[in-house]
Amino acid sequence: MAPVQTEIDELRQTLRRHEHLYYVLDQPQITDAEYDALMRRLQALEAEHPDLLTPDSPTQRVGGAPRDGFVKVAHSSPMLSLDNALNEGELNEFLSRVAALAAGDPVQYVAELKLDGLSMAAHYRDGLFVQAVTRGDGQVGEDVTTNARTIRSLPLRVAGEWDAFEVRGEAIMTRRSFEKLNAGRMAAGLAAFANPRNAAAGGLRALDPKVTAARGLDFHAYLLLRDGVPVMQSHWESLNELSRLGFKVNPHRRLCGNAAELREFLAEWERRREELPYEIDGVVVKVDSIPQQNRFGWTAKAPRWAIAFKYAARQAETVVEAIEVQVGRTGALTPVAHLRPVAVSGVTVSRATLHNEDEIRRLGVEIGDGVLIERSGDVIPKVVRVTAQGADRRPFRMPAECPVCGGHIVREESEAASRCVNTNCPARLKESVLHFASRPVMAIDGLGEAVVDQLVDRGLVRSVADLYDLTAGQLAGLERMGQKSADNLVRNIDKSRANPLPRVIGGLGIRFVGERTAQLLAQTFGSLDRIREADPETLCQAEEVGPKVSASIREFFDEPRNLELVERLRGKGLRFDHPIKERTTGRLAGKTFVLTGTLPTLTREEAKARIEAAGGKVSGSVSGKTHYVVAGEEAGSKLAKAQDLGVPILDEAGLTALLND
Ligand code: IVH
């Protein structure tokens, strides 16, 4: 075998093992950077040897070109639904029916979590993933193979003796991915998804596989079939086999010998469901023995050998008594519904977010209306829909002045949110201080909401810089603050001066500049002063900084009040410098590239990955410091600028030559 083939094989094997460890078992053994380096090496080899590319390669999870629609595919056997048991009584009825059908034979049950996503069938032939189909109407689904490839926990290749088999399971989105997705959508002025299931369904059925990939879907397997029927004699064993084959099988499952064990499992997960990183809506109970399953058979809609025990919906109806607005750190006004208190799965809910004016319009909600609300995870409850219009309903109007400081309110054309423009607004200030002190930013322990409220209300803190002047004496005078906590807090504030520059940048609260951007800015420019002095074009030299972010940074530093804050923080001894770690190894170390236009074979990401793998840097804009511009078809102003400045221009072949030199 050619040595490249051997290296490619080994890389694929290594990557697959680490994907399984990371995405299926949740036990990574290497860092993300190490994984990325291996992946880039494999991508580079495959690009050089396109003949050696195979569809099961770990590089093929990125998603291909968008399509116009989906091909319909008939299922090997119907993907039916399950009957529901909504309470103990209905569960008991199911258990009695099964006992009668078993006619005296002992029955074992498998209890599994009922993940709230959408079901999908994945087909394998000769150890390779070949096709994925959505449930559709149960008889016919849609071919979503390319999209499913982007699901990292779905193996593209399995070892095992099965020549052809099918795995059915649930495609889901974790709460964390869901919240991140919605936060991003809201920041971009797009409508938020109502729940992770809708976001997962949209992702799996997206025409552009890159959309699927970005949603970070997960797949939990629960049925192993061949020719549409179970392969093994025991469902429990088939779950174990799926896990051995490398599929993610939900670890929270139990083989129950009697009804008491089953009930214990149901009660345990009703109590613990909030601990899970994804949403469940109940527990699925299945008869373990496949011969018994076959004897019991199916009704037109569902199997007689299984039931979905549904937990009480975490929704409830109540009335909107008022709508008030809250002011956030960026001055964004969030309308919040004040509700007649109502119990939702054990928690009393009296407030729900309405996000923004567009959301209020979409819901058509007014003060006095009856609404359905929903609690999910730890997030603040939200209004699902209006159930009854109130007799004396009154529409909500966004105030013209900030309810906290009386400042001017503006709503930009392109944005969903209205904002208070007064940077000294106490509500904004409180949020800024909390943000400044938070874990990912300056990590000042002991500076929680109760303390910050008092500090701002008593005028002890008018800007985050004032934190560094606080004395233990002042703090000890606050409510619920002892001498010891006061001393600790002063010490923690003091310690935070040593935080590296990216944290300081994060602490300034510049819009669109989160942890990662702060890190990249610090790395690119090496000091806060260089960032402050940079024009928008120069700022774009930092990775991932585009026109929107650079404009926001510029706007921040153009505001005299912000400059004053920066100078005060400098005076308090915070770190304003950041040693730049230049890669000094690699063929392209120290060289800066700018990519423009469409290259004939490489995507922009691929070209970037290769340049970086060789130690080079990719920047967003051309300047005197650019070493090369790589131009493809339809290159625009960057190419013209490179020509003006006399920067060497390469085509893809030129870049490849440089990389392989
Ligand atoms: S078994 C005939 N197991 O619930 C067997 N379904 O209400 C059918 N679901 O369409 C499915 N977790 O989307 C099964 N552990 C689990 C499940 C599960 C979630 C979903 C699935 C199905 C729906 C039925």
Side-chain angles (χ1 to χ4, degrees):
M1 205 187 294
V4 234
Q5 178 75 70
T6 314
E7 187 181 352
I8 288 182
D9 285 347
E10 282 171 5
L11 277 167
R12 286 181 185 158
Q13 220 169 19
T14 310
L15 282 163
R16 275 186 204 116
R17 192 160 59 82
H18 289 298
E19 285 184 347
H20 186 250
L21 282 163
Y22 186 97
Y23 291 104
V24 177
L25 302 179
D26 246 345
Q27 291 163 352
Q29 284 181 359
I30 57 173
T31 64
D32 291 2
E34 287 165 327
Y35 175 86
D36 290 345
L38 291 168
M39 182 63 97
R40 274 194 228 119
R41 174 74 190 145
L42 177 59
Q43 281 168 338
L45 289 177
E46 287 178 347
E48 278 168 37
H49 306 275
D51 50 313
L52 301 182
L53 190 63
T54 58
D56 64 320
S57 170
T59 58
Q60 298 308 292
R61 293 201 185 267
V62 286
R67 284 137 307 161
D68 300 329
F70 294 101
V71 174
K72 297 252 192 288
V73 180
H75 289 298
S76 56
S77 64
M79 281 180 84
L80 296 188
S81 174
L82 295 172
D83 282 334
N84 291 331
L86 300 177
N87 50 48
E88 279 278 323
E90 293 182 8
L91 177 68
N92 291 339
E93 280 171 32
F94 166 76
L95 296 174
S96 317
R97 271 200 310 273
V98 168
L101 287 164
D105 287 344
V107 180
Q108 288 205 305
Y109 294 95
V110 178
E112 299 162 44
L113 300 184
K114 187 170 187 305
L115 270 53
D116 202 4
L118 58 152
S119 43
M120 184 182 94
H123 295 263
Y124 288 77
R125 207 156 300 135
D126 299 324
L128 293 186
F129 165 71
V130 290
Q131 191 177 46
V133 188
T134 61
R135 175 166 184 266
D137 64 5
Q139 305 291 334
V140 174
E142 288 174 324
D143 184 326
V144 289
T145 309
T146 321
N147 290 353
R149 256 186 223 292
T150 70
I151 305 177
R152 301 300 181 115
S153 48
L154 184 75
L156 297 182
R157 161 192 284 268
V158 295
E161 68 264 38
W162 314 104
D163 47 356
F165 64 90
E166 173 182 355
V167 176
R168 291 185 185 172
E170 201 80 351
I172 60 158
M173 193 165 181
T174 62
R175 287 198 241 263
R176 202 184 135 85
S177 304
F178 172 71
E179 276 154 29
K180 244 171 78 183
L181 171 73
N182 265 357
R185 289 179 67 88
M186 245 118 83
L190 295 170
F193 282 102
N195 52 50
R197 179 165 34 99
N198 290 2
L204 192 60
R205 299 189 62 251
L207 290 172
D208 183 352
K210 297 221 163 47
V211 172
T212 322
R215 298 253 161 116
L217 302 184
D218 201 356
F219 180 78
H220 290 244
Y222 51 64
L223 285 180
L224 173 58
L225 308 176
R226 200 158 48 178
D227 298 324
V229 296
V231 186
M232 305 184 76
Q233 294 297 297
S234 144
H235 176 60
W236 181 254
E237 279 311 315
S238 77
L239 292 178
N240 293 339
E241 174 67 7
L242 280 167
S243 174
R244 263 194 300 279
L245 287 171
F247 289 91
K248 190 172 205 165
V249 179
N250 198 287
H252 309 301
R253 56 184 191 266
R254 193 174 297 166
L255 183 61
C256 301
N258 57 49
E261 282 175 27
L262 255 181
R263 288 199 193 94
E264 196 186 304
F265 185 87
L266 298 177
E268 175 180 343
W269 286 105
E270 176 141 41
R271 211 172 46 242
R272 292 181 59 192
R273 64 195 284 201
E274 292 303 331
E275 292 170 25
L276 298 165
Y278 40 77
E279 296 200 340
I280 61 170
D281 55 351
V283 166
V284 178
V285 177
K286 299 172 189 164
V287 169
D288 178 53
S289 151
I290 306 294
Q292 276 181 335
Q293 288 187 2
N294 291 337
R295 272 208 305 284
F296 301 173
W298 303 68
T299 67
K301 277 193 3 246
R304 290 201 186 87
W305 44 265
I307 194 131
F309 182 83
K310 290 276 196 87
Y311 291 135
R314 301 195 313 157
Q315 293 185 331
E317 282 186 39
T318 182
V319 174
V320 176
E321 293 182 330
I323 298 177
E324 284 182 6
V325 295
Q326 263 176 10
V327 188
R329 171 170 64 85
T330 59
L333 304 190
T334 306
V336 174
H338 288 240
L339 308 166
R340 181 174 300 158
V342 60
V344 188
S345 51
V347 171
T348 304
V349 171
S350 55
R351 286 145 57 89
T353 180
L354 289 164
H355 299 303
N356 52 49
E357 277 180 296
D358 292 346
E359 174 72 357
I360 291 178
R361 199 165 318 119
R362 186 184 72 80
L363 290 165
V365 63
E366 296 190 3
I367 300 155
D369 284 352
V371 287
L372 183 70
I373 59 149
E374 183 176 84
R375 205 163 78 78
S376 90
D378 311 324
V379 297
I380 143 157
K382 61 169 183 260
V383 174
V384 181
R385 65 182 138 82
V386 172
T387 51
Q389 300 194 342
D392 307 313
R393 66 202 301 255
R394 280 175 295 127
F396 164 79
R397 297 228 184 289
M398 198 49 104
E401 288 169 355
C402 172
V404 178
C405 71
H408 195 54
I409 299 293
V410 293
R411 178 174 172 180
E412 306 270 344
E413 285 269 337
S414 58
E415 283 187 24
S418 306
R419 288 172 204 284
C420 166
V421 293
N422 174 13
T423 46
N424 290 327
C425 171
R428 288 186 63 170
L429 179 57
K430 285 177 186 176
E431 291 297 325
S432 306
V433 176
L434 285 170
H435 169 77
F436 188 81
S438 68
R439 270 284 151 76
V441 186
M442 295 297 272
I444 305 175
D445 273 352
L447 205 52
E449 210 165 318
V451 177
V452 172
D453 277 353
Q454 298 181 65
L455 290 174
V456 172
D457 293 343
R458 296 182 188 202
L460 290 170
V461 168
R462 293 198 169 82
S463 112
V464 291
D466 292 339
L467 291 172
Y468 294 94
D469 294 331
L470 291 171
T471 63
Q474 287 172 321
L475 290 170
L478 302 182
E479 271 167 46
R480 283 184 292 168
M481 174 79 87
Q483 188 62 48
K484 198 160 157 223
S485 342
D487 289 339
N488 281 339
L489 182 49
V490 169
R491 195 164 331 116
N492 293 341
I493 294 173
D494 190 42
K495 237 175 31 194
S496 75
R497 290 179 221 255
N499 281 337
L501 178 59
R503 286 181 178 264
V504 178
I505 297 173
L508 295 175
I510 306 170
R511 277 183 80 202
F512 308 124
V513 177
E515 279 161 70
R516 184 172 160 77
T517 308
Q519 185 78 44
L520 293 168
L521 283 166
Q523 251 162 34
T524 309
F525 295 101
S527 81
L528 189 61
D529 289 321
R530 288 191 51 203
I531 299 169
R532 192 197 45 170
E533 287 156 7
D535 56 34
E537 206 166 295
T538 313
L539 287 167
C540 286
Q541 280 175 14
E543 239 177 281
E544 295 180 22
V545 172
K548 185 176 86 173
V549 180
S550 63
S552 160
I553 298 171
R554 219 29 283 153
E555 202 174 291
F556 180 88
F557 287 113
D558 285 341
E559 164 66 45
R561 272 191 287 221
N562 293 336
L563 286 179
E564 196 186 306
L565 170 69
V566 167
E567 287 318 311
R568 285 198 61 209
L569 289 175
R570 189 201 305 275
K572 303 296 174 198
L574 269 62
R575 289 232 183 135
F576 275 29
D577 287 311
H578 192 71
I580 296 186
K581 279 191 239 112
E582 279 280 352
R583 260 196 63 179
T584 50
T585 56
R587 194 170 285 142
L588 303 182
K591 300 277 185 263
T592 303
F593 289 73
V594 172
L595 303 170
T596 176
T598 313
L599 300 176
T601 70
L602 292 176
T603 66
R604 193 169 284 238
E605 278 310 307
E606 286 163 346
K608 181 162 174 255
R610 291 206 195 165
I611 292 168
E612 287 173 354
K617 236 175 55 181
V618 175
S619 138
S621 67
V622 181
S623 75
K625 294 191 188 117
T626 311
H627 292 93
Y628 297 99
V629 166
V630 182
E633 222 161 290
E634 287 177 44
S637 62
K638 290 181 193 174
L639 177 60
K641 179 140 189 217
Q643 283 161 340
D644 279 354
L645 292 173
V647 176
I649 295 157
L650 302 173
D651 58 6
E652 183 178 308
L655 173 65
T656 314
L658 201 61
L659 285 161
N660 298 334
D661 190 9

